[in-house]
């Protein structure tokens, strides 16, 4: 099975691209999985984006890896030659990398060690949708979410910088075998077509 993951900050366009792929029949030949948080039924059960301790960060990882274990089994049971994921374990490692840098938790290496004993879907290709912070802020405002949730940790400049650094700088190599950076400050429909073209190419 070839595995392709979509990564990038919140509001980068991952869900739109995945919806476009579904509308164009990707599920006829691919196992497709939504983002981890969409597998959690109750909003209050979603671990906070900003954890308040190293222990909480480790606990959040375990919560998401329970979902990852379910994804692994579902992907294998599908017997399809391709899997397309909205986020992969690299999301969890990128968040840990950012929390280590911002709060000194020192958990990133622990999560990497933990992965050695857990089944997970290691991407062959990862598309990192790269969007400037000001564009992300505008998209969130346009969606009408700014007033309801003004304190949005996932768009804080320092957090965005450190998570981007994980995928782009390579100081902590992503789990994915290959990461392709895609400028995504374009029309979401155009971006979706770009993603479709790359997925089609790699799926051959």
């Amino acid at each position: 099975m070839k595995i392709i993951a979509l990564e990038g900050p919140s509001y980068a366009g991952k869900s739109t691209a995945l919806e476009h792929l579904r509308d164009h029949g990707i599920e006829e030949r691919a196992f497709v999985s939504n983002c981890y948080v969409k597998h959690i039924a109750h909003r209050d059960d979603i671990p906070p984006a900003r954890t308040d301790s190293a222990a909480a960060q480790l606990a959040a990882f375990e919560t998401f890896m329970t979902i990852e274990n379910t994804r692994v089994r579902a992907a294998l049971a599908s017997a399809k030659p391709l899997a397309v994921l909205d986020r992969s374990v690299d999301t969890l490692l990128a968040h840990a990398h950012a929390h280590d840098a911002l709060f000194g938790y020192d958990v990133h290496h622990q999560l990497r060690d933990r992965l050695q004993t857990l089944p997970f879907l290691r991407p062959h290709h990862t598309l990192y949708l790269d969007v400037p912070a000001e564009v992300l802020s505008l998209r969130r405002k346009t969606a009408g979410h700014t007033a309801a949730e003004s304190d949005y940790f996932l768009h804080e400049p320092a957090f965005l910088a450190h998570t981007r650094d994980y995928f782009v700088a390579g100081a902590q190599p992503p789990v994915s075998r290959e990461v392709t950076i895609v400028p995504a400050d374009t029309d979401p429909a155009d971006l979706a077509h770009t993603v479709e073209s790359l997925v089609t190419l790699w799926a051959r």
Side-chain angles (χ1 to χ4, degrees):
M1 172 181 282
K2 185 173 287 187
I3 301 164
I4 300 172
L6 304 182
E7 293 282 2
S10 180
Y11 294 87
K14 299 180 299 298
S15 296
T16 300
L18 202 64
E19 182 179 356
H20 174 84
L21 291 173
R22 282 177 161 138
D23 288 344
H24 287 74
I26 191 68
E27 289 179 302
E28 294 176 7
R29 57 196 175 95
F31 168 81
V32 180
S33 179
N34 292 325
C35 177
Y36 292 105
V37 297
K38 293 185 178 179
H39 292 263
I40 299 177
H42 302 291
R43 182 181 179 86
D44 291 344
D45 293 334
I46 299 173
R50 177 174 180 168
T51 51
D52 57 9
S53 67
Q57 188 67 28
L58 292 170
F61 174 81
E62 294 296 340
T63 295
F64 290 128
M65 286 309 296
T66 298
I67 297 168
E68 179 68 10
N69 183 58
T70 301
R71 290 208 300 184
V72 170
R73 289 188 282 108
L76 295 176
S78 74
K80 292 180 178 178
L82 179 67
V84 181
L85 312 176
D86 182 347
R87 298 195 182 279
S88 70
V89 293
D90 273 320
T91 283
L92 312 181
L93 294 174
H95 281 219
H97 170 73
H99 281 75
D100 282 4
L102 293 171
F103 310 121
Y105 288 169
D106 193 29
V107 299
H108 185 273
H109 69 286
Q110 296 181 57
L111 302 192
R112 282 191 175 271
D113 290 344
R114 182 80 175 97
L115 283 176
Q116 302 307 310
T117 66
L118 294 168
F120 62 92
L121 296 169
R122 182 187 180 194
H124 295 82
H125 299 280
T126 289
L127 281 169
Y128 180 79
L129 308 186
D130 196 17
V131 186
E134 59 272 17
V135 175
L136 295 172
S137 179
L138 179 60
R139 288 178 181 177
R140 185 165 168 265
K141 183 177 181 180
T142 301
H145 298 160
T146 302
E149 193 179 6
S150 58
D151 183 20
Y152 194 61
F153 178 70
L154 294 177
H155 280 184
E156 287 189 5
F159 179 80
L160 286 173
H162 287 301
T163 52
R164 181 181 187 275
D165 179 70
Y166 172 81
F167 288 100
V168 174
Q172 300 278 1
V175 167
S176 178
R177 295 170 175 85
E178 180 182 62
V179 176
T180 300
I181 311 301
V182 179
D185 54 344
T186 59
D187 179 79
D190 292 339
L191 174 62
H193 284 288
T194 299
V195 170
E196 181 185 20
S197 296
L198 288 168
V199 169
T200 300
L201 173 66
W202 290 331
R204 291 174 181 168

